[in-house]
Amino acid sequence: MNKQVEKIQISGIRRFAEKVKKVEGAISLTIGQPDFPVPIDISEAMIQAIRDNKTVYTSNAGVDELREEICNYLRTFDIEYNKDEICITVGGSEGLYSVLFAVMNSGDKILIPGPAYPAYENISIMIGADVVTYPLNEDFTLNLDKIREKLENENIKVLMLSFPSNPTGAILSKEQRNELVELIKNKNIIVITDEMYSSIIFDDYYSVAQAKEIKDKVIYVSGFSKIFSMTGLRIGYVACCEQYMKEIMKVHQYGVSCAPSIAQYGVLEGLKKSLNDVENMRKTFERRKDYCLNRLRDLNLEVAEPKGAFYIFPSIKKFNVSSEEFCEKLLNEGKLACVPGTAFGDLGEGYMRISYCYSDEILKEAFDRFERFLKLNFPNF
Ligand code: PLP
């Protein structure tokens, strides 16, 4: 077996979701899949694509029209790429994998936030890269001093960013974006920014990918799994300048040939016609975010207000048990499943992730259960 692969484990999110299936009557707030149907224009475009026999390979980089349409879409975020700088991938996951594989050698150092989406660390380990973690501020905003310190003292090749964040929901402020751009400008590093949730945001959007002066250092990864509620259809994309793209394309080509053709045609129609559905979904998530935040604050839990995505990440430190133990007990005794913070790295200890991709009724019942569980097991909290 490959020694590097042996070093990693199946994602803690998935492992926990498997446990949930075994507990009868449990409510699960574990999933990162919007509870909305895929927009109708997308389904119809996919059905039409099947009827038109568009079931063959597309070019490795994806359907040209879709790559053009993605450029138009990115422009609405003030991000400028041309069609040749876009590669359509098999979800954001393959995008991340192909990018990390293309830019890193065994022994190279990558700076990853903690807590963070687990793929960054685990793909890096598979490649044999050295993972260095940077802690976030208490409210999960970026701690630029820590990043500066790590960049100065360690020979970092890749800086990993992710906004809005899974699991914390944190985003980048304008000031932090500007400071970060200044920092990146003066360093010889590659920055990968994972923006899977860029359309699900409750405040102004800022990204290092907007800064033209560091375009040659930034690789942007995103996708449509979340915004079009199509996690099973597997369409993501990478945007970056040619020097990176030509290497990323090799990994992508030998790994997957191309992203699924039918789903590419669906996304193409979605970008033309379904952005209103995305906006409605975003508004719903914002309302649910407020509900979860209020319920957690009523329970006197420390919690940072998420500014995007559809997760909330309260502290459970005051209960003095590990996050794994706490979530197991909550599942078995409280019949409520949330993901232990350690599924997002060691710095997730003391937290749990709640996904609010669930209806108002389910969320209400879940928080009622949580409240009863805390009163019963931690009466002095
Ligand atoms: N990046 C982040 C931050 C995510 O949360 C996810 C999925 O949950 C991905 C990437 C992977 O997305 P996909 O399902 O499109 O592969």
Side-chain angles (χ1 to χ4, degrees):
M1 290 298 114
N2 180 305
K3 293 279 174 276
Q4 289 308 118
V5 175
E6 281 185 334
K7 283 184 189 163
I8 63 165
Q9 288 203 349
I10 291 292
S11 150
I13 312 171
R14 288 270 162 190
R15 254 186 300 139
F16 211 76
E18 287 307 310
K19 285 188 188 164
V20 181
K21 286 186 195 153
K22 297 188 184 125
V23 180
E24 210 179 312
I27 290 184
S28 173
L29 301 186
T30 59
I31 294 293
Q33 155 67 51
D35 57 319
F36 295 85
V38 68
I40 187 73
D41 289 313
I42 297 184
S43 343
E44 283 180 356
M46 289 192 295
I47 292 165
Q48 194 54 47
I50 295 173
R51 292 208 169 107
D52 294 345
N53 288 320
K54 292 179 169 171
T55 50
V56 294
Y57 294 124
T58 68
S59 70
N60 296 131
V63 170
D64 273 5
E65 271 174 288
L66 175 57
R67 293 158 72 209
E68 287 284 6
E69 206 53 50
I70 288 174
C71 294
N72 295 337
Y73 179 63
L74 285 176
R75 223 161 276 133
T76 64
F77 293 90
D78 212 12
I79 295 175
E80 198 57 55
Y81 284 102
N82 68 51
K83 172 181 96 14
D84 297 327
E85 295 172 318
I86 306 284
C87 172
I88 316 290
T89 56
V90 182
S93 302
E94 190 255 316
L96 286 171
Y97 185 85
S98 293
V99 167
L100 288 165
F101 197 100
V103 303
M104 284 202 292
N105 296 287
S106 146
D108 284 345
K109 287 191 176 173
I110 177 167
L111 191 52
I112 290 177
Y117 182 60
Y120 316 141
E121 178 170 351
N122 288 298
I123 296 173
S124 300
I125 294 172
M126 283 198 273
I127 294 165
D130 272 359
V131 173
V132 181
T133 310
Y134 63 90
L136 303 166
N137 292 323
E138 284 276 295
D139 61 357
F140 305 124
T141 55
L142 212 54
N143 186 328
L144 275 150
D145 290 337
K146 293 278 183 212
I147 294 183
R148 200 171 283 116
E149 186 189 307
K150 298 276 188 192
L151 291 180
E152 246 133 59
N153 299 322
E154 312 225 19
N155 190 17
I156 302 289
K157 178 171 183 183
V158 175
L159 169 65
M160 190 75 222
L161 300 173
S162 180
F163 299 107
S165 155
N166 172 10
T168 70
I171 60 168
L172 201 58
S173 69
K174 185 175 184 183
E175 294 68 34
Q176 286 196 318
R177 193 271 318 261
N178 293 349
E179 221 182 306
L180 200 50
V181 169
E182 279 309 306
L183 185 62
I184 294 164
K185 222 193 295 183
N186 299 314
K187 297 275 175 211
N188 185 20
I189 50 169
I190 298 171
V191 180
I192 303 172
T193 181
D194 173 359
E195 307 202 5
M196 276 305 287
Y197 300 89
S198 57
S199 305
I200 306 169
I201 194 160
F202 318 131
D203 207 335
D204 294 335
Y205 167 86
Y206 295 101
S207 165
V208 292
Q210 295 167 320
K212 318 256 174 313
E213 65 268 41
I214 55 165
K215 186 171 171 181
D216 61 342
K217 294 185 175 171
V218 173
I219 302 176
Y220 180 96
V221 180
S222 188
F224 301 99
S225 296
K226 313 289 174 172
I227 76 160
F228 286 150
S229 190
M230 45 177 278
T231 52
L233 292 169
R234 314 305 302 133
I235 302 291
Y237 60 98
V238 171
C240 60
C241 54
E242 202 236 337
Q243 71 192 80
Y244 303 122
M245 190 54 94
K246 74 182 202 304
E247 305 306 318
I248 293 167
M249 281 304 298
K250 297 178 195 168
V251 186
H252 169 76
Q253 181 192 336
Y254 287 113
V256 300
S257 290
C258 66
S261 58
I262 297 301
Q264 290 191 56
Y265 290 106
V267 169
L268 175 59
E269 198 66 3
L271 284 174
K272 290 179 182 161
K273 293 195 182 151
S274 308
L275 292 176
N276 276 346
D277 299 78
V278 178
E279 177 53 14
N280 290 338
M281 186 168 82
R282 190 200 66 77
K283 283 187 189 144
T284 306
F285 282 133
E286 185 165 20
R287 184 173 48 69
R288 290 186 194 159
K289 178 265 293 175
D290 289 336
Y291 177 77
C292 297
L293 190 64
N294 288 336
R295 290 291 305 254
L296 290 166
R297 285 187 173 154
D298 287 347
L299 292 170
N300 278 324
L301 291 190
E302 254 178 62
V303 55
E305 178 170 358
K307 299 286 172 67
F310 35 64
Y311 310 107
I312 192 161
F313 204 60
S315 168
I316 48 170
K317 288 180 186 162
K318 63 168 152 183
F319 303 118
N320 280 324
V321 285
S322 72
S323 61
E324 187 89 29
E325 238 178 289
F326 184 87
C327 290
E328 287 258 11
K329 200 171 161 67
L330 179 59
L331 171 61
N332 293 321
E333 297 173 23
K335 303 274 187 242
L336 173 63
C338 302
V339 182
T342 41
F344 305 92
D346 293 345
L347 290 173
E349 183 53 275
Y351 297 88
M352 66 179 197
R353 188 191 77 173
I354 296 173
S355 157
Y356 46 89
C357 288
Y358 297 88
S359 69
D360 295 355
E361 297 71 37
I362 293 177
L363 287 176
K364 180 178 180 313
E365 172 61 19
F367 277 101
D368 290 349
R369 287 186 188 193
F370 190 37
E371 190 169 342
R372 279 199 297 277
F373 170 82
L374 291 182
K375 284 189 174 142
L376 205 65
N377 291 280
F378 305 95
N380 302 321
F381 80 90

mmCIF file of all heavy atoms in Angstrom, residues 13 32 90-96 117 119-120 162 164-166 194-197 221-226 230-231 234-236 311 353, ligand 1:
data_model
loop_
_atom_site.group_PDB
_atom_site.id
_atom_site.type_symbol
_atom_site.label_atom_id
_atom_site.label_comp_id
_atom_site.label_asym_id
_atom_site.label_seq_id
_atom_site.Cartn_x
_atom_site.Cartn_y
_atom_site.Cartn_z
ATOM 1 N N ILE A 13 -16.270 13.684 8.809
ATOM 2 C CA ILE A 13 -17.662 14.088 8.551
ATOM 3 C C ILE A 13 -18.433 12.853 8.087
ATOM 4 O O ILE A 13 -19.512 12.541 8.581
ATOM 5 C CB ILE A 13 -17.738 15.191 7.463
ATOM 6 C CG1 ILE A 13 -16.745 16.314 7.750
ATOM 7 C CG2 ILE A 13 -19.153 15.721 7.325
ATOM 8 C CD1 ILE A 13 -16.598 17.335 6.639
ATOM 9 N N GLY A 32 -23.593 18.737 4.366
ATOM 10 C CA GLY A 32 -23.302 19.974 3.641
ATOM 11 C C GLY A 32 -23.959 19.955 2.285
ATOM 12 O O GLY A 32 -23.304 20.181 1.259
ATOM 13 N N VAL A 90 -14.248 17.861 -11.731
ATOM 14 C CA VAL A 90 -15.274 16.965 -11.177
ATOM 15 C C VAL A 90 -15.535 17.397 -9.729
ATOM 16 O O VAL A 90 -14.972 16.849 -8.779
ATOM 17 C CB VAL A 90 -14.821 15.494 -11.277
ATOM 18 C CG1 VAL A 90 -15.908 14.565 -10.739
ATOM 19 C CG2 VAL A 90 -14.510 15.142 -12.726
ATOM 20 N N GLY A 91 -16.338 18.421 -9.578
ATOM 21 C CA GLY A 91 -16.591 19.006 -8.253
ATOM 22 C C GLY A 91 -15.393 19.831 -7.809
ATOM 23 O O GLY A 91 -14.317 19.823 -8.450
ATOM 24 N N GLY A 92 -15.589 20.542 -6.703
ATOM 25 C CA GLY A 92 -14.483 21.297 -6.122
ATOM 26 C C GLY A 92 -13.379 20.340 -5.665
ATOM 27 O O GLY A 92 -12.193 20.677 -5.684
ATOM 28 N N SER A 93 -13.760 19.133 -5.289
ATOM 29 C CA SER A 93 -12.786 18.169 -4.749
ATOM 30 C C SER A 93 -11.695 17.850 -5.760
ATOM 31 O O SER A 93 -10.511 17.883 -5.426
ATOM 32 C CB SER A 93 -13.482 16.858 -4.368
ATOM 33 O OG SER A 93 -14.484 17.091 -3.424
ATOM 34 N N GLU A 94 -12.109 17.553 -6.998
ATOM 35 C CA GLU A 94 -11.082 17.230 -7.990
ATOM 36 C C GLU A 94 -10.263 18.483 -8.307
ATOM 37 O O GLU A 94 -9.060 18.406 -8.569
ATOM 38 C CB GLU A 94 -11.722 16.661 -9.270
ATOM 39 C CG GLU A 94 -10.718 16.092 -10.246
ATOM 40 C CD GLU A 94 -10.464 16.969 -11.476
ATOM 41 O OE1 GLU A 94 -11.429 17.497 -12.059
ATOM 42 O OE2 GLU A 94 -9.297 17.122 -11.847
ATOM 43 N N GLY A 95 -10.914 19.637 -8.260
ATOM 44 C CA GLY A 95 -10.191 20.897 -8.483
ATOM 45 C C GLY A 95 -9.075 21.034 -7.452
ATOM 46 O O GLY A 95 -7.909 21.278 -7.799
ATOM 47 N N LEU A 96 -9.427 20.835 -6.189
ATOM 48 C CA LEU A 96 -8.417 20.958 -5.128
ATOM 49 C C LEU A 96 -7.309 19.928 -5.328
ATOM 50 O O LEU A 96 -6.119 20.235 -5.196
ATOM 51 C CB LEU A 96 -9.066 20.722 -3.754
ATOM 52 C CG LEU A 96 -9.944 21.845 -3.221
ATOM 53 C CD1 LEU A 96 -10.696 21.386 -1.969
ATOM 54 C CD2 LEU A 96 -9.096 23.086 -2.900
ATOM 55 N N TYR A 117 -11.640 22.807 6.174
ATOM 56 C CA TYR A 117 -12.162 21.679 5.395
ATOM 57 C C TYR A 117 -11.045 20.626 5.289
ATOM 58 O O TYR A 117 -9.913 20.945 4.896
ATOM 59 C CB TYR A 117 -12.576 22.206 4.012
ATOM 60 C CG TYR A 117 -13.172 21.176 3.111
ATOM 61 C CD1 TYR A 117 -14.332 20.494 3.478
ATOM 62 C CD2 TYR A 117 -12.592 20.868 1.883
ATOM 63 C CE1 TYR A 117 -14.887 19.533 2.647
ATOM 64 C CE2 TYR A 117 -13.139 19.926 1.037
ATOM 65 C CZ TYR A 117 -14.286 19.252 1.428
ATOM 66 O OH TYR A 117 -14.830 18.309 0.601
ATOM 67 N N ALA A 119 -10.035 18.266 3.396
ATOM 68 C CA ALA A 119 -9.340 17.832 2.172
ATOM 69 C C ALA A 119 -7.959 18.481 2.030
ATOM 70 O O ALA A 119 -7.023 17.847 1.548
ATOM 71 C CB ALA A 119 -10.184 18.161 0.945
ATOM 72 N N TYR A 120 -7.815 19.738 2.463
ATOM 73 C CA TYR A 120 -6.527 20.429 2.243
ATOM 74 C C TYR A 120 -5.390 19.648 2.898
ATOM 75 O O TYR A 120 -4.368 19.377 2.303
ATOM 76 C CB TYR A 120 -6.519 21.861 2.810
ATOM 77 C CG TYR A 120 -7.759 22.669 2.527
ATOM 78 C CD1 TYR A 120 -8.290 23.521 3.490
ATOM 79 C CD2 TYR A 120 -8.402 22.585 1.308
ATOM 80 C CE1 TYR A 120 -9.422 24.270 3.246
ATOM 81 C CE2 TYR A 120 -9.541 23.329 1.052
ATOM 82 C CZ TYR A 120 -10.055 24.169 2.029
ATOM 83 O OH TYR A 120 -11.185 24.901 1.795
ATOM 84 N N SER A 162 -9.611 29.916 2.562
ATOM 85 C CA SER A 162 -10.932 29.364 2.286
ATOM 86 C C SER A 162 -12.012 30.257 2.884
ATOM 87 O O SER A 162 -12.181 30.299 4.095
ATOM 88 C CB SER A 162 -11.014 27.971 2.895
ATOM 89 O OG SER A 162 -12.274 27.415 2.639
ATOM 90 N N PRO A 164 -16.208 31.856 1.961
ATOM 91 C CA PRO A 164 -16.620 31.602 3.335
ATOM 92 C C PRO A 164 -16.152 30.205 3.773
ATOM 93 O O PRO A 164 -16.089 29.297 2.959
ATOM 94 C CB PRO A 164 -18.134 31.663 3.284
ATOM 95 C CG PRO A 164 -18.475 32.408 2.031
ATOM 96 C CD PRO A 164 -17.362 32.096 1.076
ATOM 97 N N SER A 165 -15.846 30.097 5.051
ATOM 98 C CA SER A 165 -15.209 28.874 5.538
ATOM 99 C C SER A 165 -16.200 27.777 5.908
ATOM 100 O O SER A 165 -17.223 28.039 6.511
ATOM 101 C CB SER A 165 -14.373 29.225 6.775
ATOM 102 O OG SER A 165 -14.213 28.099 7.608
ATOM 103 N N ASN A 166 -15.841 26.577 5.534
ATOM 104 C CA ASN A 166 -16.439 25.382 6.103
ATOM 105 C C ASN A 166 -15.381 24.851 7.068
ATOM 106 O O ASN A 166 -14.295 24.511 6.612
ATOM 107 C CB ASN A 166 -16.692 24.352 4.984
ATOM 108 C CG ASN A 166 -17.129 23.005 5.520
ATOM 109 O OD1 ASN A 166 -17.426 22.865 6.697
ATOM 110 N ND2 ASN A 166 -17.173 22.002 4.652
ATOM 111 N N ASP A 194 -9.981 28.631 -1.869
ATOM 112 C CA ASP A 194 -11.134 27.748 -2.091
ATOM 113 C C ASP A 194 -12.395 28.536 -1.753
ATOM 114 O O ASP A 194 -12.626 28.886 -0.605
ATOM 115 C CB ASP A 194 -10.999 26.513 -1.188
ATOM 116 C CG ASP A 194 -12.236 25.614 -1.232
ATOM 117 O OD1 ASP A 194 -13.216 25.933 -1.927
ATOM 118 O OD2 ASP A 194 -12.225 24.577 -0.546
ATOM 119 N N GLU A 195 -13.209 28.812 -2.773
ATOM 120 C CA GLU A 195 -14.379 29.668 -2.557
ATOM 121 C C GLU A 195 -15.663 28.959 -2.987
ATOM 122 O O GLU A 195 -16.497 29.517 -3.699
ATOM 123 C CB GLU A 195 -14.163 31.009 -3.266
ATOM 124 C CG GLU A 195 -12.820 31.619 -2.844
ATOM 125 C CD GLU A 195 -12.712 33.120 -3.032
ATOM 126 O OE1 GLU A 195 -13.704 33.746 -3.412
ATOM 127 O OE2 GLU A 195 -11.605 33.640 -2.797
ATOM 128 N N MET A 196 -15.796 27.734 -2.511
ATOM 129 C CA MET A 196 -16.986 26.921 -2.842
ATOM 130 C C MET A 196 -18.293 27.607 -2.462
ATOM 131 O O MET A 196 -19.331 27.344 -3.039
ATOM 132 C CB MET A 196 -16.936 25.592 -2.082
ATOM 133 C CG MET A 196 -16.139 24.510 -2.722
ATOM 134 S SD MET A 196 -16.616 24.119 -4.397
ATOM 135 C CE MET A 196 -18.140 23.269 -4.149
ATOM 136 N N TYR A 197 -18.239 28.464 -1.433
ATOM 137 C CA TYR A 197 -19.484 29.047 -0.915
ATOM 138 C C TYR A 197 -19.598 30.542 -1.243
ATOM 139 O O TYR A 197 -20.329 31.263 -0.575
ATOM 140 C CB TYR A 197 -19.552 28.854 0.610
ATOM 141 C CG TYR A 197 -19.525 27.407 1.040
ATOM 142 C CD1 TYR A 197 -18.315 26.752 1.274
ATOM 143 C CD2 TYR A 197 -20.698 26.680 1.207
ATOM 144 C CE1 TYR A 197 -18.279 25.423 1.659
ATOM 145 C CE2 TYR A 197 -20.676 25.354 1.596
ATOM 146 C CZ TYR A 197 -19.463 24.730 1.821
ATOM 147 O OH TYR A 197 -19.432 23.415 2.209
ATOM 148 N N VAL A 221 -10.311 28.212 -6.665
ATOM 149 C CA VAL A 221 -11.061 26.953 -6.811
ATOM 150 C C VAL A 221 -12.491 27.194 -6.343
ATOM 151 O O VAL A 221 -12.705 27.777 -5.271
ATOM 152 C CB VAL A 221 -10.434 25.819 -5.963
ATOM 153 C CG1 VAL A 221 -11.223 24.510 -6.129
ATOM 154 C CG2 VAL A 221 -8.975 25.604 -6.329
ATOM 155 N N SER A 222 -13.463 26.766 -7.144
ATOM 156 C CA SER A 222 -14.845 26.913 -6.706
ATOM 157 C C SER A 222 -15.695 25.846 -7.414
ATOM 158 O O SER A 222 -15.150 24.888 -7.972
ATOM 159 C CB SER A 222 -15.355 28.324 -7.015
ATOM 160 O OG SER A 222 -16.625 28.514 -6.413
ATOM 161 N N GLY A 223 -17.004 26.011 -7.365
ATOM 162 C CA GLY A 223 -17.841 25.007 -8.008
ATOM 163 C C GLY A 223 -19.306 25.245 -7.758
ATOM 164 O O GLY A 223 -19.688 26.230 -7.116
ATOM 165 N N PHE A 224 -20.118 24.319 -8.268
ATOM 166 C CA PHE A 224 -21.567 24.533 -8.267
ATOM 167 C C PHE A 224 -22.331 23.569 -7.368
ATOM 168 O O PHE A 224 -23.550 23.615 -7.319
ATOM 169 C CB PHE A 224 -22.075 24.461 -9.716
ATOM 170 C CG PHE A 224 -21.405 25.501 -10.575
ATOM 171 C CD1 PHE A 224 -20.337 25.177 -11.382
ATOM 172 C CD2 PHE A 224 -21.801 26.825 -10.491
ATOM 173 C CE1 PHE A 224 -19.683 26.142 -12.127
ATOM 174 C CE2 PHE A 224 -21.152 27.805 -11.234
ATOM 175 C CZ PHE A 224 -20.093 27.466 -12.055
ATOM 176 N N SER A 225 -21.601 22.700 -6.661
ATOM 177 C CA SER A 225 -22.258 21.712 -5.793
ATOM 178 C C SER A 225 -23.207 22.386 -4.818
ATOM 179 O O SER A 225 -24.329 21.929 -4.612
ATOM 180 C CB SER A 225 -21.216 20.942 -4.985
ATOM 181 O OG SER A 225 -20.404 20.203 -5.835
ATOM 182 N N LYS A 226 -22.748 23.478 -4.216
ATOM 183 C CA LYS A 226 -23.526 24.104 -3.149
ATOM 184 C C LYS A 226 -24.499 25.126 -3.733
ATOM 185 O O LYS A 226 -25.679 25.116 -3.401
ATOM 186 C CB LYS A 226 -22.594 24.791 -2.151
ATOM 187 C CG LYS A 226 -21.403 23.942 -1.715
ATOM 188 C CD LYS A 226 -21.769 22.795 -0.824
ATOM 189 C CE LYS A 226 -20.548 21.915 -0.543
ATOM 190 N NZ LYS A 226 -20.764 20.894 0.453
ATOM 191 N N MET A 230 -26.363 20.833 -6.189
ATOM 192 C CA MET A 230 -26.173 19.698 -7.093
ATOM 193 C C MET A 230 -24.892 18.941 -6.727
ATOM 194 O O MET A 230 -24.048 18.684 -7.593
ATOM 195 C CB MET A 230 -26.158 20.167 -8.560
ATOM 196 C CG MET A 230 -25.321 21.389 -8.859
ATOM 197 S SD MET A 230 -25.316 21.803 -10.616
ATOM 198 C CE MET A 230 -24.060 20.682 -11.228
ATOM 199 N N THR A 231 -24.808 18.570 -5.456
ATOM 200 C CA THR A 231 -23.570 17.929 -4.970
ATOM 201 C C THR A 231 -23.263 16.617 -5.700
ATOM 202 O O THR A 231 -22.099 16.249 -5.828
ATOM 203 C CB THR A 231 -23.653 17.655 -3.458
ATOM 204 O OG1 THR A 231 -24.864 16.941 -3.196
ATOM 205 C CG2 THR A 231 -23.657 18.937 -2.650
ATOM 206 N N ARG A 234 -21.431 16.855 -9.614
ATOM 207 C CA ARG A 234 -19.981 16.949 -9.680
ATOM 208 C C ARG A 234 -19.421 17.943 -10.695
ATOM 209 O O ARG A 234 -18.692 17.563 -11.624
ATOM 210 C CB ARG A 234 -19.356 15.543 -9.929
ATOM 211 C CG ARG A 234 -19.903 14.409 -9.084
ATOM 212 C CD ARG A 234 -19.852 14.652 -7.586
ATOM 213 N NE ARG A 234 -18.523 14.904 -7.079
ATOM 214 C CZ ARG A 234 -18.261 15.928 -6.236
ATOM 215 N NH1 ARG A 234 -19.209 16.751 -5.844
ATOM 216 N NH2 ARG A 234 -17.046 16.095 -5.783
ATOM 217 N N ILE A 235 -19.755 19.208 -10.523
ATOM 218 C CA ILE A 235 -19.117 20.234 -11.357
ATOM 219 C C ILE A 235 -18.460 21.312 -10.478
ATOM 220 O O ILE A 235 -19.123 21.974 -9.681
ATOM 221 C CB ILE A 235 -20.113 20.921 -12.321
ATOM 222 C CG1 ILE A 235 -20.786 19.899 -13.251
ATOM 223 C CG2 ILE A 235 -19.409 22.013 -13.142
ATOM 224 C CD1 ILE A 235 -19.886 19.268 -14.287
ATOM 225 N N GLY A 236 -17.159 21.440 -10.653
ATOM 226 C CA GLY A 236 -16.405 22.511 -10.015
ATOM 227 C C GLY A 236 -15.539 23.183 -11.063
ATOM 228 O O GLY A 236 -15.652 22.872 -12.247
ATOM 229 N N TYR A 311 -23.021 26.808 7.803
ATOM 230 C CA TYR A 311 -22.593 26.108 9.005
ATOM 231 C C TYR A 311 -22.421 27.114 10.131
ATOM 232 O O TYR A 311 -22.116 28.290 9.887
ATOM 233 C CB TYR A 311 -21.244 25.428 8.778
ATOM 234 C CG TYR A 311 -21.174 24.586 7.533
ATOM 235 C CD1 TYR A 311 -20.441 25.010 6.423
ATOM 236 C CD2 TYR A 311 -21.835 23.361 7.467
ATOM 237 C CE1 TYR A 311 -20.367 24.240 5.272
ATOM 238 C CE2 TYR A 311 -21.766 22.578 6.315
ATOM 239 C CZ TYR A 311 -21.028 23.018 5.225
ATOM 240 O OH TYR A 311 -20.955 22.252 4.082
ATOM 241 N N ARG A 353 -19.710 21.283 14.642
ATOM 242 C CA ARG A 353 -20.288 21.956 13.476
ATOM 243 C C ARG A 353 -21.752 21.579 13.318
ATOM 244 O O ARG A 353 -22.106 20.403 13.294
ATOM 245 C CB ARG A 353 -19.542 21.575 12.198
ATOM 246 C CG ARG A 353 -20.001 22.430 11.001
ATOM 247 C CD ARG A 353 -19.487 21.910 9.682
ATOM 248 N NE ARG A 353 -20.232 20.756 9.213
ATOM 249 C CZ ARG A 353 -20.071 20.193 8.012
ATOM 250 N NH1 ARG A 353 -19.164 20.681 7.172
ATOM 251 N NH2 ARG A 353 -20.775 19.140 7.659
HETATM 252 N N1 PLP B 1 -14.339 23.059 -0.514
HETATM 253 C C1 PLP B 1 -15.112 23.215 0.564
HETATM 254 C C2 PLP B 1 -14.796 24.332 1.506
HETATM 255 C C3 PLP B 1 -16.187 22.360 0.813
HETATM 256 O O1 PLP B 1 -16.943 22.524 1.901
HETATM 257 C C4 PLP B 1 -16.446 21.310 -0.109
HETATM 258 C C5 PLP B 1 -17.548 20.360 0.116
HETATM 259 O O2 PLP B 1 -18.148 20.285 1.161
HETATM 260 C C6 PLP B 1 -15.614 21.183 -1.222
HETATM 261 C C7 PLP B 1 -14.572 22.067 -1.402
HETATM 262 C C8 PLP B 1 -15.817 20.071 -2.231
HETATM 263 O O3 PLP B 1 -16.880 20.339 -3.049
HETATM 264 P P1 PLP B 1 -17.473 19.292 -4.095
HETATM 265 O O4 PLP B 1 -18.587 18.578 -3.440
HETATM 266 O O5 PLP B 1 -17.901 20.133 -5.252
HETATM 267 O O6 PLP B 1 -16.373 18.360 -4.484
#
